[in-house]
Amino acid sequence: MVSTLRGQEGKTGPLLFKGAVELVKLVGALRQRPRAGDPARQLHESEVRWRRRNPVDVDGSRGLPMLCLVNADRARFPALQVICELLHESAEPEPTPYVYRDLAVQPTPVRRHGYVEPVRDILVSARKGLVQQSTGGRLPRFPLFTLLVWLMGERIDDGDQHPDRTLAFRVQKISLHHRFRHAVQEIDGSLPDAPPVLRLFLFFCFVVSLLWFWITVPGRVPVISGKYRWFVRQPHLAPKLSGRNFLRFGRRLTDGHWQKEDPEYVCRLLVNAFLEDLRRAYRIGLWKVWRKRRMGYPMLLLDGADADNGGYELLRLVNAVRNQLGDFDPLLLITSGSEYPPPVRAVLSAPVRGARLKSTADAAGTAYRSWQAALPIDRLARRKITWFLPLRIDTMDLPDPAVAVSAWNSLGGYHGDYQLDRPLLWTRRWMRLSMAAILLGGVVGGGAYAVAATRQSHCGSLIDSVTWTGFECVGVADGTFPMFQPSNDHIRQVEDRIADQNRQAAQLHDAYPARPYITLVSLQALTSSNGTADGLTAAREGLEGVAVAQRRQLVARGTADPIVRVLVANAGRGMREGVRVARQLAVMAARDRGIVGVVGLDMSSNATSDTIQAITDAGIPMVASTLSADELAGQSPLYFQVAPQNQREAEVVAEFVKRQPKLPSARVYYSDDGSDKYSSNLREDLLRALRRRGIPVSAAAFRPNDPGSADPAHVHYAEPLFGNAAAAGRATCSYGGVVFFAGRGVPDFGDFVSAAALCGSDATIIGDDDVSRYVADQPTRRQNRALPYYYASFAAAPAPVAQARGVARDFYLGLNEMFGFEDSADGRSLDGHAALAYDASLVFISATAYLRESSADIPVSPGAVWREITAIHTSAAAAQINKHIDGVTGAIDYGGDIARHVPLNKPIAIMRVENGEVLPTIQAFCGTATGIPAASWCPAGP
């Protein structure tokens, strides 16, 4: 239409009237959305253009007017048709969605219930037109309005006893669930031989969608209830009367029921649902970053509007809804009629507002600015003409045709200016997608980094109970994570066995909940001091002993027999991270009261002493398996041990030394390490015991290879000090008496005995009980075959096992069965660490059983178990039950004294190594043990 007019001077056209160009500019400006946001808008004085204002709607001037053209001669001046053609030609960068409807050519609508039917018909046709212009998902499908119109067409019989259920099933047929159900049926029908897994998956999806529907359809769940929730929260037709339940409220909107409602508010609900769909379509939430920003507002052009066909009624309703809600909606509504709308006519005679409403098309820009200036006041007053912007097309005063055509052509094809602006760079879809991708990448990258950092700090795992200190992994695990560093096949077998038995214990606890269920923590120094897995043989055998005790309880069937779960804890090299692990155990014990005790512990050092104090602070009792320093027994009331003390070892060794064939004198070598309580304490005890027997004795110190403190203190008194253990070993070459090594078996004794062998020492060498760690490391032990030596042992394993008697026989048979590598000459170390750990575990197991036997109602807790440990002793009273433990390493009897934490007369054996092998024959034995007689010269003592 417009193209036929351009360049044809002398002819008048449809827009050749006064103000035609100004009107076109105004409409073009109103349809243009700002490049960012939806702020208030105002036009320049020089031209009709948008410019941004305060994005916060503080003055109420935010919104689009309803442009009402008063055109008495629409046939000659079809302004809306020409605007439609301009919109059609300006399709770049995107077309403006618009709907044109000529109400004058439509039959006069039937009004049975006010204006409900005419308004509904206009909005339905508007929805249809806008949806048809939807490309790429740029416009909505009007879910709220569509559901409302559908409800108004549904009829439910008055005799239906369950109308809400009937409506629910009908709503279900138009929901996503119905579509999914149909898809499932199609797939099931087209794939009759589908595998059961696929059918099960489809059935699962069907059930989930059905549950989702019944959860969301009442409209009470925020976010997920979606459109149903909007109906029960909007302000029209009082949804509270229906209990804010969509099914009950929706039944009021069905055919036969909505006719009973107030037509005014039914119309308002229709208008508000339509506008709300548009509002949601123009919002871009954070979860919809892929949506393109629409730069043109949708337009509804109603030609021939009057009071009878619903056109002016729709204007009144939009004005009422906007006044009531105060929400911005993006609909640009333009009407053309032969007279002013009724609300406008009612105030035309008003001196102020009436003057604003009498503008003509040639003053379109000025009229818009006046409307916007009055908008805040009109909105607050809820006036009926708030959103009306009437413009009269004056056909009585036509411009000169030549001037009009020149003005039209001077626009330079103004349809080009009708093209929409592009959004700001940072609001464009690709930018938002890029930013979302960057943000997502940052989140994923940050999450990956956090996971990697967490894994690194937790030793390459996500187990928060293990920690990487920088050179070793310490903490607590249940056997599923390797805590020995380094490890080998034998160690992995033991840890795997612990993990498997923990699973069995959990299953057994579920099957027999009446049995006590306790957790023991095997805490040792599981980081090798010499950097090899063979250096952890003693620690591995200690865990083996705990595993045998755990298996013993798995096969037990008594109701008082506890089921045992085992945790493996690494206190770091030399127990230096023991306090950290103890604090971690305190946190774990607060969450799990089943943790009743700690077994194991290594090295009588300051680090071990600090660890004992930290475990005491956590309120957890402990039973050490190999610790022997005298002062440890009195350090904590929660501390117990199954090994004898250093003073007992010194007495036995002194008697053994006294009976050596050549004994001019004795010399004690000990570690010059201020943090090593064991070595200095054993030195003092041994010097005292030897001197009491009249044996000449001296002492010499050496600096250890692996001191426990950064600044080792010289703990001897004006005695020779050797630079290392090897130098001390070479000093024995010129000494023909008895030499006692009172230092650490690993790594110092190996250097000591190797150096002594190189110079052909003929001294009689006796090692302390810690030398059993060196003996347990077979490859290292066999490197020295030239020099024989003795060593003290708190538990000597019999070889062969057939020589064992009583509980020792059961233990070693079970050990060999569980760990086949132990049943070999290369596997058995004969150091007794497994038996000591077994006995330490047996103390907790027996104490728990005693507790449950005394009363089934007493809860098993660390405190209750500790109390029963003090009761493990042999009673002289005939009426009292004998409660001492016949352990593998000897009788465990705490004497009935609550202050005593060391067993009475605990066995000590003297073993001999020749040609790099441990002789199976015990050289000397002192103590109480089944099947092994004590030597006649054994010293008396506790």
Side-chain angles (χ1 to χ4, degrees):
M1 179 188 299
V2 178
S3 61
T4 62
L5 300 176
R6 294 199 178 95
Q8 301 182 29
E9 296 184 7
K11 295 183 179 180
T12 60
L15 289 184
L16 297 184
F17 58 87
K18 188 176 181 181
V21 174
E22 288 76 5
L23 176 62
V24 171
K25 282 187 176 182
L26 176 61
V27 174
L30 290 175
R31 65 182 278 272
Q32 172 71 60
R33 191 183 190 188
R35 301 182 67 192
D38 284 300
R41 303 170 180 82
Q42 186 169 345
L43 303 178
H44 283 290
E45 294 289 342
S46 59
E47 60 177 343
V48 183
R49 285 288 188 187
W50 298 111
R51 73 180 177 88
R52 294 190 59 181
R53 295 184 63 189
N54 189 342
V56 181
D57 185 20
V58 295
D59 58 359
S61 59
R62 180 181 179 185
L64 293 172
M66 296 183 295
L67 190 59
C68 305
L69 303 181
V70 182
N71 186 1
D73 194 356
R74 289 191 307 111
R76 186 178 178 188
F77 304 105
L80 295 190
Q81 296 183 23
V82 177
I83 291 175
C84 290
E85 184 168 345
L86 288 173
L87 293 172
H88 182 72
E89 292 182 5
S90 57
E92 295 295 336
E94 65 178 77
T96 298
Y98 71 93
V99 174
Y100 170 81
R101 184 174 181 183
D102 191 350
L103 300 180
V105 301
Q106 303 292 330
T108 302
V110 178
R111 293 167 51 190
R112 297 188 181 90
H113 304 86
Y115 281 93
V116 174
E117 291 89 347
V119 170
R120 181 180 62 183
D121 293 342
I122 293 174
L123 293 178
V124 168
S125 64
R127 177 196 63 181
K128 180 179 179 181
L130 293 175
V131 169
Q132 288 176 347
Q133 297 180 52
S134 175
T135 57
R138 285 195 294 268
L139 280 176
R141 297 293 178 178
F142 293 89
L144 299 174
F145 181 74
T146 301
L147 179 59
L148 176 56
V149 173
W150 177 84
L151 286 170
M152 296 175 71
E154 288 294 306
R155 175 175 287 275
I156 298 178
D157 295 338
D158 294 336
D160 194 329
Q161 297 182 357
H162 303 286
D164 291 346
R165 185 185 305 174
T166 301
L167 180 60
F169 284 119
R170 293 188 185 181
V171 173
Q172 183 179 337
K173 291 182 179 180
I174 62 171
S175 67
L176 178 64
H177 169 73
H178 179 74
R179 293 194 293 271
F180 186 81
R181 176 181 180 182
H182 180 71
V184 170
Q185 292 174 346
E186 289 290 331
I187 295 174
D188 189 58
S190 59
L191 298 175
D193 298 328
V197 175
L198 177 59
R199 292 180 179 273
L200 183 61
F201 173 74
L202 293 176
F203 178 75
F204 172 77
C205 294
F206 172 78
V207 172
V208 169
S209 64
L210 181 61
L211 291 176
W212 182 268
F213 172 79
W214 284 106
I215 291 173
T216 58
V217 73
R220 293 175 176 172
V221 183
V223 181
I224 66 173
S225 289
K227 58 186 177 183
Y228 306 119
R229 184 171 175 81
W230 181 86
F231 277 98
V232 299
R233 297 180 70 84
Q234 52 78 36
H236 310 296
L237 296 181
K240 287 186 178 180
L241 297 178
S242 304
R244 287 199 182 277
N245 183 297
F246 171 75
L247 294 177
R248 296 177 185 173
F249 180 69
R251 184 157 52 88
R252 293 168 53 192
L253 301 175
T254 57
D255 189 17
H257 289 82
W258 66 262
Q259 291 86 345
K260 302 175 184 178
E261 303 284 346
D262 187 345
E264 168 69 16
Y265 289 97
V266 175
C267 289
R268 289 194 183 190
L269 180 58
L270 284 165
V271 171
N272 191 23
F274 185 87
L275 295 179
E276 178 63 22
D277 283 327
L278 289 177
R279 295 186 197 108
R280 295 185 177 187
Y282 273 72
R283 297 188 195 121
I284 300 179
L286 295 177
W287 59 93
K288 295 181 180 179
V289 295
W290 64 88
R291 288 178 52 176
K292 184 177 180 180
R293 177 177 173 82
R294 304 177 183 92
M295 294 306 298
Y297 290 119
M299 301 172 61
L300 177 57
L301 298 94
L302 301 179
D303 217 344
D306 58 30
D308 294 327
N309 56 28
Y312 287 161
E313 181 66 15
L314 179 61
L315 294 177
R316 186 189 67 80
L317 291 168
V318 171
N319 185 87
V321 170
R322 287 179 175 177
N323 281 342
Q324 180 181 7
L325 298 182
D327 293 335
F328 172 81
D329 63 77
L331 179 65
L332 177 55
L333 186 57
I334 305 176
T335 63
S336 177
S338 59
E339 58 183 359
Y340 286 98
V344 176
R345 290 200 305 268
V347 294
L348 280 176
S349 59
V352 178
R353 296 196 300 276
R356 176 178 74 80
L357 300 175
K358 297 177 182 178
S359 300
T360 56
D362 59 333
T366 303
Y368 172 77
R369 288 191 294 273
S370 299
W371 169 84
Q372 194 176 45
L375 181 60
I377 298 176
D378 289 346
R379 290 184 68 179
L380 291 176
R382 304 292 194 272
R383 289 177 177 143
K384 297 181 180 181
I385 49 93
T386 300
W387 298 93
F388 286 86
L389 177 56
L391 293 174
R392 180 168 48 84
I393 296 178
D394 193 350
T395 60
M396 303 300 294
D397 186 15
L398 296 177
D400 181 83
V403 176
V405 171
S406 175
W408 180 260
N409 290 335
S410 68
L411 293 176
Y414 187 68
H415 69 287
D417 277 355
Y418 251 55
Q419 293 180 357
L420 300 176
D421 292 337
R422 294 184 180 275
L424 290 177
L425 183 64
W426 59 272
T427 63
R428 295 182 186 178
R429 177 167 56 180
W430 68 267
M431 178 61 75
R432 286 185 279 109
L433 288 174
S434 300
M435 294 302 296
I438 293 174
L439 180 60
L440 180 61
V443 172
V444 173
Y449 176 80
V451 171
T454 302
R455 291 179 64 89
Q456 182 179 6
S457 64
H458 294 299
C459 310
S461 72
L462 295 178
I463 304 174
D464 58 0
S465 58
V466 295
T467 304
W468 178 252
T469 65
F471 70 95
E472 64 179 336
C473 184
V474 300
V476 186
D478 61 356
T480 57
F481 183 84
M483 296 303 300
F484 286 75
Q485 301 164 62
S487 184
N488 58 21
D489 291 340
H490 292 172
I491 291 175
R492 283 189 289 271
Q493 288 184 44
V494 178
E495 289 184 312
D496 291 345
R497 185 67 184 231
I498 290 290
D500 181 64
Q501 291 188 164
N502 281 340
R503 287 188 288 269
Q504 295 180 41
Q507 295 172 0
L508 193 62
H509 174 58
D510 292 338
Y512 299 96
R515 290 179 59 181
Y517 184 55
I518 64 173
T519 299
L520 299 182
V521 182
S522 176
L523 176 63
Q524 302 181 81
L526 303 183
T527 302
S528 176
S529 58
N530 63 5
T532 67
D534 291 328
L536 294 172
T537 300
R540 184 206 75 207
E541 292 191 345
L543 187 58
E544 290 175 16
V546 178
V548 175
Q550 182 184 26
R551 182 182 180 233
R552 174 182 181 269
Q553 296 308 113
L554 290 176
V555 299
R557 288 295 178 264
T559 56
D561 290 322
I563 303 169
V564 179
R565 172 174 169 256
V566 175
L567 298 178
V568 183
N570 180 16
R573 184 172 180 175
M575 295 290 293
R576 294 168 193 171
E577 299 294 335
V579 173
R580 180 205 295 257
V581 177
R583 291 171 179 168
Q584 186 175 349
L585 285 175
V587 175
M588 298 175 65
R591 297 194 304 258
D592 180 8
R593 299 303 297 172
I595 298 178
V596 299
V598 174
V599 298
L601 301 173
D602 270 337
M603 306 178 63
S604 302
S605 62
N606 286 344
T608 302
S609 179
D610 293 341
T611 301
I612 292 173
Q613 185 59 51
I615 297 175
T616 302
D617 294 341
I620 304 175
M622 66 211 89
V623 177
S625 56
T626 61
L627 299 187
S628 59
D630 296 339
E631 66 179 77
L632 294 180
Q635 179 178 341
S636 167
L638 301 184
Y639 171 85
F640 298 87
Q641 66 186 54
V642 295
Q645 292 179 295
N646 281 348
Q647 59 184 352
R648 171 67 175 170
E649 179 181 354
E651 293 294 330
V652 172
V653 170
E655 286 293 334
F656 181 74
V657 169
K658 180 180 179 180
R659 283 158 177 76
Q660 295 305 302
K662 49 178 181 178
L663 181 61
S665 63
R667 183 181 295 173
V668 179
Y669 289 90
Y670 65 98
S671 173
D672 179 45
D673 185 353
S675 65
D676 191 353
K677 297 181 178 181
Y678 169 79
S679 185
S680 58
N681 174 235
L682 184 57
R683 162 203 174 273
E684 294 173 358
D685 287 343
L686 192 58
L687 291 178
R688 189 182 305 110
L690 289 171
R691 287 169 181 166
R692 209 167 38 242
R693 288 167 175 77
I695 301 174
V697 61
S698 62
F702 62 87
R703 295 194 183 279
N705 289 335
D706 184 28
S709 61
D711 185 21
H714 193 59
V715 296
H716 60 278
Y717 305 93
E719 296 166 350
L721 174 64
F722 296 97
N724 53 38
R730 285 191 295 271
T732 66
C733 295
S734 58
Y735 183 74
V738 175
V739 170
F740 186 83
F741 181 86
R744 291 298 171 187
V746 180
D748 295 328
F749 183 75
D751 295 342
F752 179 88
V753 74
S754 295
L758 286 176
C759 64
S761 174
D762 60 353
T764 301
I765 299 177
I766 304 175
D768 57 22
D769 64 277
D770 199 73
V771 170
S772 61
R773 297 179 184 274
Y774 169 80
V775 174
D777 186 354
Q778 292 192 17
T780 303
R781 185 188 70 215
R782 288 172 178 173
Q783 290 178 1
N784 172 43
R785 296 179 179 271
L787 188 64
Y789 53 87
Y790 297 95
Y791 71 94
S793 175
F794 294 156
V801 175
Q803 296 180 0
R805 297 291 183 271
V807 293
R809 181 181 179 86
D810 291 338
F811 168 75
Y812 284 108
L813 287 175
L815 181 68
N816 293 345
E817 179 184 349
M818 292 173 61
F819 307 107
F821 55 82
E822 286 285 352
D823 191 16
S824 65
D826 292 337
R828 179 59 51 76
S829 66
L830 305 179
D831 61 356
H833 279 79
L836 287 167
Y838 175 87
D839 283 351
S841 304
L842 204 59
V843 169
F844 281 109
I845 293 171
S846 300
T848 305
Y850 295 164
L851 175 66
R852 183 52 57 91
E853 288 172 357
S854 62
S855 174
D857 297 329
I858 300 178
V860 177
S861 65
V865 172
W866 167 82
R867 171 61 181 83
E868 291 299 323
I869 293 177
T870 62
I872 297 176
H873 68 281
T874 301
S875 175
Q880 187 174 357
I881 300 175
N882 190 328
K883 289 189 176 182
H884 83 277
I885 300 174
D886 191 9
V888 177
T889 61
I892 301 175
D893 187 333
Y894 291 108
D897 183 358
I898 195 172
R900 183 175 182 82
H901 304 281
V902 181
L904 294 171
N905 200 25
K906 198 64 171 53
I908 298 176
I910 305 297
M911 307 298 295
R912 181 172 176 82
V913 177
E914 291 184 1
N915 195 29
E917 301 295 341
V918 181
L919 300 182
T921 303
I922 297 176
Q923 304 300 303
F925 184 85
C926 292
T928 302
T930 302
I932 304 178
S936 58
W937 48 262
C938 288

